[in-house]
Amino acid sequence: MASMEAPVGAWSRVAQALSHPIRVVVASFLAAILGGTALLMIPLAAASGESTDPVTALFTATSAVCVTGLVLVDTGTYWSGFGQGVILVLIQMGGLGIMTLASVLAVLIGRRIGVRASLLSGAEARRGSGVAMNAREVVVGVVRTSLLFEAAVALILIVRFLITYDEAPGRALYLGVFHAVSAFNNAGFGLYADSLERFALDPVISLTIAGAIICGGLGFPVLWELRRLWRRPREWSLHTRMTVAATAALLGVSTVVITFAEWGNDATMGTFSGPGKLLAGFFHAVNTRTAGFNSVPIGEMRSESLLASDVFMFIGAGSAGTAGGIKVTTFVLMGYIMWAELRGERQVIASRRTVPADVQRQALTVAFFGVTAIAVSTWLLLSTSAFSLDVVLFEVVSAFGTVGLSTGITASLPTHGQLLLTVLMFVGRLGPLTVGASLALRTRPRRFEFPEERTIVG
């Protein structure tokens, strides 16, 4: 009898552990990564027909599931058709998974704190009529939205590859679908050894890919609300207003900064025409929002461009989307908090809305978590490799922000360095989401108060 009760008790404990939504998120992504690693180690997955070493397989699977794009081997030549198919499926699972799980967590948080507002702004979804969405509707909406965007982008790319580049129909179809899925999910995986450098001056491919990246990075809550209220911006939720305004502002600033810094750099875009430089600068600015494609060689960029890219990669894009980073809403909220402190105001006001104190703490915690992870990882890589600070920091921020841009040192890092980046991609993908959600879900009223005492700040 005791022998039967033991496994039953063990399974009940596992079920209880998995019942927590945060544990479900982490366990789901770990399972996908381990399954992808096993499939990529099969000899059939490599073009050579030989088994891939565990580190390369694990790194690639993690990069795909976490929709990052960092690679140790060239995707288009090292992996077979089967291996590339596995990577594509992992990208789709990762992109859909993060949008779905983040949106469902938003619904759960909304129920916990009892706020009727838009997804992730007050954290419960509402239709134009004010009726809240349930988890099933969120999942269906995420899948439908993703597939529609990917199909539209793939169609444009397929036609372009067919007509302009004389690709065979089957090859054009494959290129279009692969890059469409990779772009909308902000993965940055490409089938060309130079990423998209050969298309740097092609406005159709560059702008189509950039558009898919932006839409995927906005997040399902924003896309859902814009589709219904795009003509009535005054009715947008605070989250949507923040995300759209910050995205537009950051894209504009980053385009100007990168284009200006690289204007005379002949190794990147210095030889392009004026419009070509603007196109390349805009494309890089979009990809620092956590996509990972590049149309100019990142390793040849100037140090000031790398530093600026670090900042934009750390910020990332929208919540409950396919992008990484600490998210633009976190960044904007910290700006509002600082502004309120400078003005000596007791409340933080954003667009005529009071930001709750617990949301302020969540934003500061997520930002501090990101800074700490990047600082520790950068120190570890600097102490165990011979690369300079600017390229190591770029690589670390790219991994944490699940961006995928690289100066080219990834494959040259020691094995422990590659494993560190693997962990960082996983932490960067799930860290901000799980930290923010767990803080919201675990809010507890204190039954007593301690006496106040001030410390000197600054």
Side-chain angles (χ1 to χ4, degrees):
M1 187 70 177
S3 60
M4 293 183 63
E5 290 178 354
V8 171
W11 278 114
S12 65
R13 287 192 295 271
V14 172
Q16 184 179 4
L18 292 178
S19 64
H20 194 289
I22 305 302
R23 297 191 185 105
V24 172
V25 172
V26 175
S28 300
F29 272 75
L30 278 175
I33 289 171
L34 294 177
T37 301
L39 289 174
L40 291 177
M41 290 178 63
I42 299 174
L44 180 63
S48 64
E50 300 178 356
S51 179
T52 301
D53 66 277
V55 173
T56 300
L58 175 64
F59 189 97
T60 305
T62 304
S63 184
V65 173
C66 296
V67 290
T68 304
L70 286 175
V71 294
L72 299 180
V73 293
D74 178 54
T75 305
T77 57
Y78 180 87
W79 302 107
S80 65
F82 173 80
Q84 293 171 12
V86 170
I87 292 172
L88 190 64
V89 171
L90 293 177
I91 291 172
Q92 187 71 83
M93 289 174 59
L96 284 176
I98 201 67
M99 291 183 74
T100 301
L101 292 169
S103 299
V104 170
L105 280 173
V107 173
L108 294 176
I109 293 169
R111 290 174 180 170
R112 172 65 182 268
I113 63 179
V115 176
R116 276 191 182 275
S118 297
L119 241 122
L120 285 185
S121 71
E124 185 173 338
R126 62 176 173 83
R127 295 191 178 100
S129 60
V131 179
M133 295 175 69
N134 57 41
R136 181 181 178 278
E137 290 175 316
V138 169
V139 173
V140 172
V142 168
V143 174
R144 182 187 295 129
T145 300
S146 299
L147 295 180
L148 285 175
F149 271 100
E150 290 168 1
V153 173
L155 181 61
I156 297 173
L157 294 179
I158 290 167
V159 172
R160 189 64 170 178
F161 285 130
L162 275 172
I163 297 177
T164 306
Y165 298 97
D166 296 323
E167 294 283 0
R171 177 66 175 171
L173 175 65
Y174 183 58
L175 289 172
V177 170
F178 190 97
H179 288 95
V181 173
S182 183
F184 181 75
N185 290 289
N186 281 214
F189 278 86
L191 296 177
Y192 297 100
D194 60 356
S195 188
L196 297 179
E197 289 181 25
R198 65 189 67 193
F199 306 115
L201 299 178
D202 186 330
V204 175
I205 290 183
S206 293
L207 294 179
T208 299
I209 294 289
I213 293 167
I214 294 172
C215 291
L218 286 174
F220 170 71
V222 174
L223 293 176
W224 176 85
E225 192 167 332
L226 290 178
R227 185 167 70 89
R228 288 161 175 76
L229 302 174
W230 67 276
R231 291 184 178 180
R232 304 192 297 274
R234 290 185 179 181
E235 298 181 23
W236 292 357
S237 66
L238 177 60
H239 173 72
T240 296
R241 288 199 295 269
M242 273 189 179
T243 302
V244 172
T247 296
L250 287 170
L251 283 176
V253 170
S254 56
T255 298
V256 171
V257 169
I258 297 301
T259 305
F260 176 78
E262 296 297 317
W263 189 273
N265 186 357
D266 291 343
T268 55
M269 61 180 73
T271 58
F272 296 170
S273 63
K277 292 176 181 178
L278 288 174
L279 178 62
F282 174 73
F283 189 79
H284 180 78
V286 170
N287 279 272
T288 58
R289 310 306 307 288
T290 80
F293 291 108
N294 61 280
S295 62
V296 296
I298 303 298
E300 300 297 331
M301 296 183 79
R302 292 170 172 167
S303 296
E304 54 267 37
S305 299
L306 295 180
L307 180 59
S309 299
D310 291 339
V311 175
F312 300 126
M313 290 190 297
F314 178 73
I315 296 173
S319 301
T322 56
I326 63 171
K327 306 298 186 294
V328 292
T329 45
T330 303
F331 177 73
V332 173
L333 277 176
M334 289 193 300
Y336 277 116
I337 293 170
M338 184 178 68
W339 180 244
E341 285 296 320
L342 291 175
R343 291 170 59 90
E345 297 178 348
R346 295 180 62 86
Q347 293 181 323
V348 176
I349 308 298
S351 298
R352 298 184 179 181
R353 296 290 186 273
T354 301
V355 180
D358 60 332
V359 175
Q360 299 174 40
R361 293 194 297 270
Q362 290 165 26
L364 293 172
T365 302
V366 168
F368 183 76
F369 168 81
V371 170
T372 302
I374 289 172
V376 172
S377 301
T378 301
W379 184 86
L380 289 174
L381 278 183
L382 282 174
S383 62
T384 57
S385 66
F387 297 105
S388 60
L389 173 61
D390 55 348
V391 295
V392 168
L393 179 62
F394 187 92
E395 209 79 9
V396 167
V397 176
S398 180
F400 175 81
T402 66
V403 181
L405 293 174
S406 175
T407 56
I409 69 170
T410 312
S412 302
L413 290 172
T415 301
H416 64 269
Q418 295 170 356
L419 291 174
L420 175 62
L421 291 184
T422 302
V423 173
L424 200 58
M425 286 188 286
F426 185 80
V427 170
R429 175 74 281 180
L430 296 181
L433 168 66
T434 55
V435 169
S438 61
L439 289 173
L441 290 170
R442 294 182 61 186
T443 300
R444 301 174 182 173
R446 184 178 290 275
R447 299 178 183 273
F448 56 90
E449 296 290 339
F450 289 103
E452 291 186 356
E453 182 174 353
R454 292 184 176 273
T455 61
I456 299 175
V457 178

